[in-house]
Amino acid sequence: MPLPVPALPEGVDPAWLPDEVFRPLGTRRVLVRGPGPLVATVHGEVAAACARFGGRVERAAAPEPCDLLLELTGDDDSEAFTFGRDADRTTVTASGPTGLLYGLFHVVRLGERAFAGEHRLTEHRPRLGIRMLDHWDNVAVHPVMGQVERGYAGGSLFWAAGRAREEWGRVRAYARLLAACGINAVAVNNVNVHATEARLLTDRIGEVAALAEAFRPYGIRTHLSVTFAAPMVLGGLPTADPLDEDVRAWWAAATGRVYAAIPDFGGYVVKADSEGQPGPFAYGRSHAEGANMLAAALAPHGGTVHWRAFVYDHRQDWRDRTTDRARAAHEQFAPLDGEFADNVLLQVKHGPMDFQVREPLSPVIGALPRTRLAVEVQATQEYTGQQRHVCWLGPMWSEALRFGHEGPDGPTVGERASALVAVANVGDDPFWTGHPLAQANLYTFGRLAWQPDADPGQLLDEWLALTFPGASAQLADGVRRVLAGSWRTYEKYTAPLGVGFMVQPGHHYGPSVDGYEYSPWGTYHFADRDGVGVDRSAATGTGYAAQYAKPWAEIYESPSTCPDELLLFFHHMPYGHVLHDGRTVIQHIYDTHFEGVEEVATARALWASLAPLLDRPRHTRVAERYDEQLRSAREWRDQVNTYFLRTSGVPDARGRRIY
Ligand code: GCU
């Protein structure tokens, strides 16, 4: 039986799966072969397309003449598929059911091209086995963080005011969108596990099982964030010591019950000894001992521990110049290489700080060759405009994934990692992502996780073609232009040259140059009358630069070789220092802030010109957000430029208005 395609609730945007993209498939004669539930999903997709566009779908046991054959040839867990076309037939085969599903969406992406000419038989296989979204969704509304921590797209798709929302149709529609860009894992609750959320692991596992049921037909495994203190807060034990036998037995039993409810459960996500969350340190145990205890509970069932490496001192004294937050994760984890169990993934943020618009690659990624790694990025735009600003992060993620961590020509992060994880940017907003153009971030993330060396520009075009099928050249070109350079534009009008932060404390939206300068969070810029930036060199600074392998350690060590865009991350520089592009640091600050605002104004005008070509709700929503982006960008420009004019006393060489 075909599984019916989930209907979108009234008013919800189809994102990159509008009906129209199924037309090429839906006008043809399609044969779907093979058994099992995921083939039923594929069959359902094809049946819906054919019902809409007049094609025909068959489920014959023996080959029959057709335009498209979708065939499952085995029952393994491979996600690969082969795609090819001879003179008159397009064929997709897969040895595992999820592979067939991905093959179907490959045909959808190709559109008419899938049925034209000949295509050499090629195999398509995801580079990364786990392509995951972490939802920072709270079950109960948190007094400070709300329903979704760092969520800018409304409420949670899964939870509302303390319980499951039970809008399974919407969750299934979400699963379908995720599968169409290759995502295969979702963690359904916040990494900061509060009391209500903790219980999802035990007496409320039924709610997680219901979510897993909605995700399963689209090849997505469900994961849960758990608290390390669970044996105490849920099990009533006196300790959560990972080497205590009762604790280990408790986790084994609890995990057994999870698998009884969710046989294909993916595993646990753990934020331990991080920003106040409990962890193994309380018992004098290492992160490896903590992670391995959970790994032992999951291993018999095939589950994975995502153990986060976001560990640092969040109660730092700003007067203490010997502590450097950027160093912390490497100091904790590098000595543990080789100690983690096989089913542990060390989940490392791509940069050493916290999802700033510009950071170097985390040195942890190159420091644990015998440890499996998940690289974490942030699709939710906490520090990149909170989905009120257009900021397409594809190029930033791509730079990180294509970075040669052993040297410019060495193996890349995408080759090194086993998993790519993004903090999700969706909610119950009709456009899913608050800002309609932020859908491009979610799509690009999934596709980069499948193929980390993909050209992000091509992925943007792919997203465009799906989201705006049949778009005129003017529309496609306009949308591409407002997105393509938006990350660099955002960088220009916010914190300069990699120095980071300068945001308003707490919510992190909008400028406050000294917002974190005297805080305990370890995020300082050290601007004074002579210069700005953090000396992280080995020779005179915190020594952070030496955490990299050569040649990076040497490249970052010296201001003369350090890339300009990271200069203030690695060095405290005089305002008069001349950058590689010939401008002084201070002039760079002024210029980029003026340029950034101009670029936003240009993009806003370009967007306005697209009004006749777009549906009204989408156009209006984006136009409104451009008004706010322009206001906010001006605020950034004026605060940053004024701050540095006052601090340095150096006037703008071009005599522009600074307050
Ligand atoms: C950031 C973010 C927090 C989040 C944390 C994390 O610091 O502001 O809300 O909990 O990252 O990644 O755990």
Side-chain angles (χ1 to χ4, degrees), residues 552-566:
W552 293 117
E554 285 164 354
I555 291 171
Y556 294 142
E557 177 69 16
S558 162
S560 64
T561 47
C562 181
D564 283 346
E565 68 261 22
L566 289 169

Side-chain angles (χ1 to χ4, degrees), residues 385-386 388-390 489-490 493-494 504 507-512 593 596-602 604 622-640 659:
Q386 304 201 347
R388 285 182 256 182
H389 298 217
V390 181
T489 297
Y490 187 83
Y493 61 79
T494 57
Q504 296 203 21
H507 56 72
H508 299 163
Y509 184 77
S512 174
H593 284 77
V597 171
E598 277 163 29
E599 287 170 18
V600 174
T602 304
R604 177 169 166 272
V622 173
E624 285 166 3
R625 292 193 181 211
Y626 262 126
D627 293 346
E628 165 53 19
Q629 181 173 356
L630 186 58
R631 184 208 63 76
S632 175
R634 285 188 178 129
E635 194 62 32
W636 270 99
R637 175 195 65 194
D638 293 339
Q639 286 201 26
V640 171
Y659 295 85

Side-chain angles (χ1 to χ4, degrees), residues 539-573:
T540 54
T542 69
Y544 168 81
Q547 289 184 336
Y548 291 89
K550 283 181 191 163
W552 293 117
E554 285 164 354
I555 291 171
Y556 294 142
E557 177 69 16
S558 162
S560 64
T561 47
C562 181
D564 283 346
E565 68 261 22
L566 289 169
L567 187 62
L568 301 183
F569 189 93
F570 282 100
H571 298 280
H572 185 85
M573 298 307 295

Side-chain angles (χ1 to χ4, degrees), residues 138-149 190 192-195 197:
N138 296 315
V139 177
V141 177
H142 184 271
V144 180
M145 291 299 170
Q147 189 78 60
V148 181
E149 181 154 342
N190 192 359
N192 296 316
V193 184
H194 310 293
E197 291 73 23

Side-chain angles (χ1 to χ4, degrees), residues 136 149-150 191-192 271 275 308 310 349 354 382-383 508:
W136 287 356
E149 181 154 342
R150 313 304 181 187
V191 288
N192 296 316
K271 174 176 178 177
E275 299 187 328
R308 296 180 81 230
F310 187 53
K349 291 190 183 185
D354 197 5
E382 175 176 359
Y383 293 99
H508 299 163

Side-chain angles (χ1 to χ4, degrees), residues 84-90 112-120:
R85 177 173 170 81
D86 59 23
D88 52 17
R89 193 176 77 177
T90 302
E112 279 300 335
R113 282 173 297 152
F115 302 98
E118 296 195 10
H119 293 272
R120 197 168 44 83

